C-alpha cells in the first residue's frame, strides 16, 4: 500500500502599501507565496506548484501575480517608502521620559 498526496504551504513574504485595483484605496497588501508539495507517506518530497498573490487588507481582494512581479514588488517594498519586509522591524526613535 502506497500513501501519497499533496500538502500546501503559505508563506508571507512582505507587507506593502500600494493602491488596490479592486477598491481603489491606498492600503497595505500582503505578498504571499503558496507552494504545493507532493507527499509520499505524509513526507513532503518536492514542490510541483508555486503561486504568488497579493491580498488587500482593506477589502480582502486577492490578486494573482507572476514570480517576476512578486520579486519586483518585494525588492521595491524593502527599499522604497511605505514598504517593509515581513519579519523586519522598523527603526524607531526612543522618546524621552516626561513626567
Amino acid at each position: 500500500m502506497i500513501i501519497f498526496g499533496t500538502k500546501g504551504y503559505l508563506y508571507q513574504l512582505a507587507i506593502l502599501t500600494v493602491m488596490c485595483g479592486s477598491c481603489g484605496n491606498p492600503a497595505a497588501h500582503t505578498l504571499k507565496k503558496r507552494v504545493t508539495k507532493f507527499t509520499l507517506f505524509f513526507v513532503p518530497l518536492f514542490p510541483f506548484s508555486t503561486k504568488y498573490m497579493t491580498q488587500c487588507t482593506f477589502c480582502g481582494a486577492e490578486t494573482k501575480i507572476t514570480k517576476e512581479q512578486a520579486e519586483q514588488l518585494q525588492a521595491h517594498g524593502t527599499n522604497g517608502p511605505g514598504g517593509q519586509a515581513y519579519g523586519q522591524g522598523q527603526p524607531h526613535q526612543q522618546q524621552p521620559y516626561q513626567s
Side-chain angles (χ1 to χ4, degrees):
M1 174 185 234
I2 297 176
I3 301 172
F4 64 93
T6 61
K7 183 171 182 179
Y9 298 88
L10 186 63
Y11 302 100
Q12 184 170 331
L13 302 176
I15 299 174
L16 311 164
T17 302
V18 294
M19 185 72 71
C20 181
S22 180
C23 66
N25 289 313
H29 284 66
T30 55
L31 178 61
K32 299 178 183 179
K33 173 180 166 181
R34 177 177 291 279
V35 179
T36 305
K37 294 186 177 184
F38 176 78
T39 60
L40 183 63
F41 294 107
F42 306 106
V43 177
L45 296 177
F46 58 88
F48 70 89
S49 173
T50 302
K51 296 179 183 178
Y52 295 88
M53 65 192 79
T54 61
Q55 183 176 17
C56 178
T57 58
F58 188 79
C59 68
E62 282 190 356
T63 305
K64 292 182 182 177
I65 58 174
T66 63
K67 179 180 180 180
E68 292 78 21
Q69 289 173 329
E71 289 172 352
Q72 191 176 38
L73 280 172
Q74 191 173 10
H76 179 272
T78 57
N79 297 330
Q84 160 182 350
Y86 183 69
Q88 294 181 350
Q90 287 184 327
H92 65 281
Q93 295 178 349
Q94 187 174 5
Q95 298 294 325
Y97 179 78
Q98 296 178 5
S99 55

